[in-house]
Amino acid sequence: MATVKTEAGHLTTVGVKTREAVLGDYAQIAALGVRNGLDPKKREEWEHLWVNNPVFNRLPKWPIGWVAENDGEIVGYFGNIPVHYHFKGRDIVGASLYSTSLDAPFRGHAVLLIKRFLRWSHAVEYMVCTTANASSSKLIEATRAPHPPVGDWGNSVFWITNYDGFLAGAMEKTGLPKVLAYPASAALALWDKVTKPRSWMRQQCELQTCSGFDERFDVFWDELKRAYPERLLADRSRGALQWHFKYALEQKRVWILAFMDGPRIVAYAIFYRHDNRDINLKRVRLIDFQVLSGDTKLLVPMLAWALRRCQEEGIHMLEAYGFRPDKQSVIDGLAPYRRRLPSWFYFYKTWDKKLGEELKDPQVWDPSHYDGDSSL
């Protein structure tokens, strides 16, 4: 496939060219997403990813991504959201890949979008992707982006919190009659009760629900950086959290739970509504858990609280995966179910040799669904 560079700086093959995306491309990018099985955001929410992004507003020349066009129609998109990390006392600006998609007849032209990103990537130290799928993961792997050395992002760990609803969705996915869900759910509930009793759910401690992010989260973020100076941590300042979860909070799709020491937050967990609309599955996911003392057992009463709320609200399942071993081992000891995901979701890449060597150390990692775009 011959590739040429036009006078306007576009990479092109016959009939297909790439260029930097602009906010005015929204309608075509959204239509592209629909054609490829994605659920695009409304325009205001989509533009918010950049125009209200505290990192983007410091970087006026940041590209929001690149598009591939065929005769003026957008047939591919490679989104690019700026993110901020803290590591060993310094700030790192990173690029989070977002909503990568190409129409089937043009997926062989993915190399053009990769080239556009790689030509620009010298502007950042770090790239992260946390929402790869079966097709986009191949595109990302072509950039030689490695997996993080901790966290299983190929398998999910979960609880069923509404057996009828969960199995009805499973029956729909497999094409079996939904009526079979009712006797199957009774049998499954009994099996869980016998093999994986949930007596631990009765654990109680002083937990506080938060309706948003206030100044206490800035204090917590400062303490977190001091507690774990050797870890790569996505920015969890109040401003970053407010930007990240703005629409999820407005739409009541996020639960924030804090463990307090007087007025001070010493641990928090964030749970996020992440339904699968194709099979009418109501799902909540643990997005993030941070604790100043390192006592990961504080996660147990937080999970118990979330499970009870899922049951009360008719949510079908609660899942939690991808965390560093000290956190994930607590989850694995309590959750009864596992499932293989359709692809590996988390990739990273750095162009700084020293940073690359440092990131080979599993101890510096604390991955979660707050990283990248998986909870945006």
Side-chain angles (χ1 to χ4, degrees):
M1 177 174 60
T3 301
V4 297
K5 187 174 180 180
T6 69
E7 291 183 2
H10 299 154
L11 289 176
T12 183
T13 60
V14 177
V16 177
K17 66 178 182 179
T18 64
R19 61 169 172 81
E20 187 175 315
V22 296
L23 294 176
D25 290 325
Y26 168 78
Q28 285 206 56
I29 291 172
L32 171 71
V34 171
R35 293 197 299 270
N36 287 276
L38 301 179
D39 187 13
K41 299 178 183 296
K42 294 180 179 178
R43 182 165 192 151
E44 179 185 9
E45 187 175 350
W46 183 78
E47 291 187 352
H48 168 78
L49 298 175
W50 294 280
V51 298
N52 297 318
N53 184 326
V55 186
F56 181 80
N57 288 328
R58 300 199 306 266
L59 303 167
K61 295 184 179 181
W62 187 280
I64 70 168
W66 298 267
V67 295
E69 289 182 315
N70 181 55
D71 293 331
E73 180 185 12
I74 292 177
V75 296
Y77 175 57
F78 199 97
N80 185 38
I81 300 173
V83 290
H84 177 223
Y85 281 77
H86 184 82
F87 184 52
K88 295 187 175 180
R90 67 188 184 94
D91 294 328
I92 294 174
V93 173
S96 173
L97 302 190
Y98 172 68
S99 194
T100 301
S101 55
L102 291 102
D103 284 333
F106 301 95
R107 287 176 186 160
H109 296 82
V111 64
L112 297 179
L113 292 173
I114 293 174
K115 285 182 177 179
R116 290 302 298 248
F117 173 72
L118 292 177
R119 282 172 53 194
W120 168 85
S121 61
H122 68 277
V124 294
E125 294 180 74
Y126 185 72
M127 180 273 284
V128 60
C129 175
T130 57
T131 52
N133 56 33
S135 58
S136 65
S137 62
K138 295 177 183 178
L139 179 63
I140 296 159
E141 285 171 350
T143 70
R144 299 183 181 178
H147 298 177
V150 301
D152 184 352
W153 290 78
N155 295 279
S156 167
V157 181
F158 66 97
W159 295 261
I160 300 173
T161 52
N162 180 312
Y163 292 91
D164 290 348
F166 179 85
L167 286 173
M171 298 296 179
E172 183 172 330
K173 185 175 182 179
T174 57
L176 294 172
K178 287 186 181 180
V179 68
L180 297 177
Y182 300 105
S185 67
L188 189 58
L190 179 61
W191 175 258
D192 278 0
K193 187 175 182 179
V194 172
T195 61
K196 204 77 170 182
R198 297 183 181 178
S199 57
W200 59 273
M201 284 182 60
R202 292 193 290 270
Q203 289 192 28
Q204 300 286 338
C205 69
E206 291 297 323
L207 297 174
Q208 182 179 120
T209 57
C210 305
S211 59
F213 302 99
D214 56 29
E215 63 277 358
R216 295 175 301 172
F217 285 87
D218 270 334
V219 175
F220 182 90
W221 171 234
D222 288 339
E223 291 191 73
L224 189 70
K225 289 185 289 184
R226 291 196 295 270
Y228 306 111
E230 301 296 312
R231 289 187 188 177
L232 177 70
L233 294 171
D235 185 351
R236 289 171 171 83
S237 64
R238 179 187 182 185
L241 291 166
Q242 286 177 325
W243 164 77
H244 192 105
F245 293 109
K246 172 180 168 60
Y247 286 94
L249 285 166
E250 289 181 3
Q251 298 159 9
K252 301 188 184 305
R253 291 189 293 114
V254 64
W255 305 336
I256 309 163
L257 198 61
F259 184 81
M260 308 296 298
D261 179 14
R264 174 172 164 260
I265 297 173
V266 296
Y268 72 73
I270 299 176
F271 297 89
Y272 183 84
R273 185 75 176 264
H274 199 280
D275 294 349
N276 184 333
R277 296 181 183 178
D278 291 340
I279 57 173
N280 297 314
L281 179 71
K282 298 177 182 178
R283 175 174 57 192
V284 166
R285 180 176 290 161
L286 175 65
I287 292 300
D288 197 21
F289 169 70
Q290 297 297 328
V291 56
L292 297 178
S293 67
D295 183 6
T296 57
K297 293 293 180 63
L298 285 176
L299 185 52
V300 175
M302 292 182 168
L303 288 169
W305 178 93
L307 283 166
R308 290 192 295 268
R309 181 160 178 178
C310 285
Q311 291 171 341
E312 292 167 2
E313 297 191 9
I315 307 299
H316 301 154
M317 66 181 286
L318 171 69
E319 69 177 351
Y321 66 91
F323 296 93
R324 57 182 284 129
D326 56 342
K327 299 177 182 181
Q328 192 66 46
S329 63
V330 174
I331 298 164
D332 291 348
L334 302 173
Y337 296 105
R338 310 283 188 276
R339 70 181 178 98
R340 182 174 291 278
L341 300 170
S343 64
W344 187 270
F345 283 151
Y346 199 126
F347 297 87
Y348 79 97
K349 187 175 180 66
T350 180
W351 293 265
D352 182 285
K353 290 184 178 180
K354 181 181 178 183
L355 180 60
E357 287 301 313
E358 291 175 316
L359 294 180
K360 292 178 181 179
D361 179 2
Q363 294 303 314
V364 310
W365 282 88
D366 192 3
S368 83
H369 291 269
Y370 177 70
D371 297 350
D373 70 327
S374 62
S375 57
L376 281 173

